[in-house]
């Protein structure tokens, strides 16, 4: 899976905008993305731990963006992060 494919899969499944800092065609340590959305009552920190740990383990950098195109606090719950995209009209 390439960086572009993973970024789009994360947006499609989890509704969270993640930017991966690597060449768009570099193979990543994901054979495929998950099929169920991560629960909205969990925090950004929990999301990083569960969903993005493989990137961290592989030394690949990434950023999670909110609707204002800023990095959200790790304490923010995902339902609030997702709502920020709608409030700001970000990412369609």
């Amino acid at each position: 899976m390439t960086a572009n494919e993973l970024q789009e899969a994360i947006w499609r499944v989890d509704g969270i905008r993640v930017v991966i800092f690597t060449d768009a065609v570099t193979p990543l340590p994901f054979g495929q993305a998950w099929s169920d959305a991560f629960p909205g009552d969990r925090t950004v920190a929990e999301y990083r731990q569960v969903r993005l740990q493989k990137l961290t383990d592989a030394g690949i950098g990434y950023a999670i963006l909110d609707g204002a195109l800023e990095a959200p606090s790790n304490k923010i719950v995902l339902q609030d992060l997702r709502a920020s995209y709608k409030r700001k009209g970000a990412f369609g």
Side-chain angles (χ1 to χ4, degrees):
M1 175 170 278
T2 67
N4 282 345
E5 291 168 338
L6 181 58
Q7 289 172 157
E8 288 308 310
I10 290 170
W11 178 248
R12 188 176 56 256
V13 174
D14 285 330
I16 296 172
R17 187 52 73 186
V18 175
V19 178
I20 300 170
F21 303 130
T22 189
D23 188 303
V25 296
T26 299
L28 298 177
F30 292 87
Q32 62 183 42
W34 37 92
S35 59
D36 297 329
F38 204 73
D41 63 345
R42 307 286 292 277
T43 65
V44 169
E46 291 170 306
Y47 185 80
R48 289 177 190 277
Q49 249 179 348
V50 174
R51 290 288 214 225
L52 302 177
Q53 188 61 45
K54 285 184 181 180
L55 289 175
T56 302
D57 291 347
I60 297 170
Y62 66 87
I64 297 174
L65 300 178
D66 65 13
L69 305 178
E70 296 178 358
S73 163
N74 279 329
K75 296 177 184 179
I76 297 293
V77 292
L78 296 184
Q79 62 196 16
D80 292 343
L81 176 60
R82 291 172 180 138
S84 77
Y85 302 129
K86 291 180 180 131
R87 277 194 313 275
K88 299 290 184 175
F91 307 118

